[in-house]
Amino acid sequence: MASTAPDVFGKHKENTMHWDQGTVYDISWSSDGSQLTAAGSTGPVRTWRLERGGHKEGDAHSGLPSSIERIAWSPPVNPSLLAAAAYEKTVCVWDQRLSSTTMRFATKGVNSDVEWHPRGTYVLVASRDEGMEVFDTAQPNRPVVSASIDGASLNSARWNADGTLLLLATHAGSVEIYAWPAMTHITTIPAHASSCNCIASDPHYIATGGADSVQLYSTRDFSLLTVIGGFESPVVFAEFSACGKFVACASDDEHLVIHNTKGRVVHKEKMHGLTTALEWHPRNLAFAVASAAGKSSKPSVSIFL
């Protein structure tokens, strides 16, 4: 929709972190929002502790491989655990209390996504070509589920808010929904004509991003509620704010656009380069964005609050 709603983000200020680890592959907030972690193409994973003064330098993580591409802090039940997916078919679980890796999962494909179950008991690892694997943290030696999608590559995977459904975004444009842990197929949402690039969920909505739009579906009956258009290039990120009132979207046109769930534009922010990672703060309306190198800028990690 072209009309705009009141801009509650207009007073946000950009805080740029110290970053020299190359292209930023992923970022993740800790469950209490006190820490932001980033993984890049060179050097170690780095965490900034926001409760300290001078947080911009950050701390390097020892004991993790240098090829980490996807990261996810665990839910509040195990707040000290960080899942870190390496390119070379390995996922490490790093324990902040011990400053060391306490678990490793051997995966069968090139890892493209990692996600914790809302109860913190399972870790889901997605591979574009090999489907997905789910590991039980109590029995990490082998996956409890290993599944692929017939005829389609997997772009992203998420659990719903209460962990009873698995939502799989495919390169064919559909969202495949399975009951968890039974893994029975519930329905297919034909979300986009081509690739469904990203997926997000909150208690009321499922958001999908495709070639030129973001679509919001009901979590109750999976009906289409809102189509958000106006993008000039494929949408690669769509994320709900913690309150569920806003959806932040990023495409390849170097802008981040925030809409309300009715589809109205609330805020638009010019980035330094292409957005490579995006995540809302888990407790307020701050958000973190990673940008690729631009014409006059290097890769960066910024917090807007």
Side-chain angles (χ1 to χ4, degrees):
M1 294 184 182
S3 59
T4 60
D7 186 357
V8 299
F9 302 95
K11 294 184 178 180
H12 276 32
K13 296 186 182 300
E14 180 179 4
N15 296 267
T16 301
M17 308 295 102
H18 173 75
W19 179 258
D20 55 11
Q21 276 80 30
T23 300
V24 187
Y25 288 146
D26 202 7
I27 56 178
S28 180
W29 289 100
S30 61
S31 61
D32 65 356
S34 66
Q35 301 177 89
L36 178 68
T37 300
S41 58
T42 62
V45 171
R46 185 171 292 276
T47 291
W48 298 273
R49 302 172 189 269
L50 273 64
E51 73 273 19
R52 291 190 202 155
H55 60 264
K56 291 189 177 183
E57 284 298 318
D59 300 321
H61 288 243
S62 59
L64 284 174
S66 60
S67 58
I68 298 297
E69 294 195 4
R70 295 292 179 264
I71 51 176
W73 280 102
S74 60
V77 65
N78 290 311
S80 66
L81 301 181
L82 176 73
Y87 181 82
E88 68 274 12
K89 302 182 181 182
T90 303
V91 175
C92 301
V93 177
W94 187 85
D95 192 329
Q96 188 176 48
R97 297 167 299 182
L98 304 174
S99 295
S100 65
T101 296
T102 57
M103 252 178 271
R104 290 181 187 269
F105 309 135
T107 60
K108 63 183 181 181
V110 175
N111 304 318
S112 59
D113 206 356
V114 64
E115 172 86 355
W116 286 89
H117 187 273
R119 295 182 181 176
T121 49
Y122 300 100
V123 176
L124 183 154
V125 186
S127 169
R128 284 189 175 86
D129 298 324
E130 299 292 340
M132 67 162 193
E133 297 171 277
V134 180
F135 294 85
D136 186 339
T137 56
Q139 300 175 331
N141 293 333
R142 59 181 181 272
V144 294
V145 169
S146 181
S148 59
I149 303 170
D150 292 340
S153 299
L154 182 62
N155 285 339
S156 186
R158 294 289 182 267
W159 269 287
N160 68 335
D162 65 5
T164 59
L165 299 175
L166 265 175
L167 315 172
L168 308 181
T170 74
H171 188 68
S174 67
V175 175
E176 305 297 334
I177 300 180
Y178 291 83
W180 179 263
M183 284 303 294
T184 53
H185 187 260
I186 294 178
T187 191
T188 297
I189 298 176
H192 301 277
S194 56
S195 180
C196 182
N197 299 324
C198 55
I199 190 166
S201 178
D202 88 333
H204 304 290
Y205 303 99
I206 298 168
T208 66
D212 58 2
S213 70
V214 170
Q215 300 184 4
L216 302 187
Y217 295 86
S218 166
T219 55
R220 181 177 56 84
D221 59 6
F222 310 119
S223 60
L224 178 62
L225 301 176
T226 305
V227 176
I228 302 172
F231 298 97
E232 297 179 359
S233 56
V235 178
V236 290
F237 295 100
E239 297 287 344
F240 287 106
S241 61
C243 64
K245 296 179 179 180
F246 305 103
V247 185
C249 309
S251 63
D252 288 341
D253 61 4
E254 299 189 6
H255 282 90
L256 182 141
V257 186
I258 299 175
H259 300 80
N260 63 23
T261 54
K262 300 298 183 183
R264 292 184 173 86
V265 175
V266 174
H267 183 75
K268 191 171 185 178
E269 190 80 35
K270 179 73 167 67
M271 297 291 102
H272 303 292
L274 298 180
T275 298
T276 58
L278 165 66
E279 188 160 322
W280 288 92
H281 190 278
R283 295 188 176 182
N284 57 43
L285 292 178
F287 54 90
V289 182
S291 298
K295 293 180 180 179
S296 58
S297 63
K298 64 180 184 178
S300 63
V301 177
S302 296
I303 299 172
F304 292 80
L305 76 166

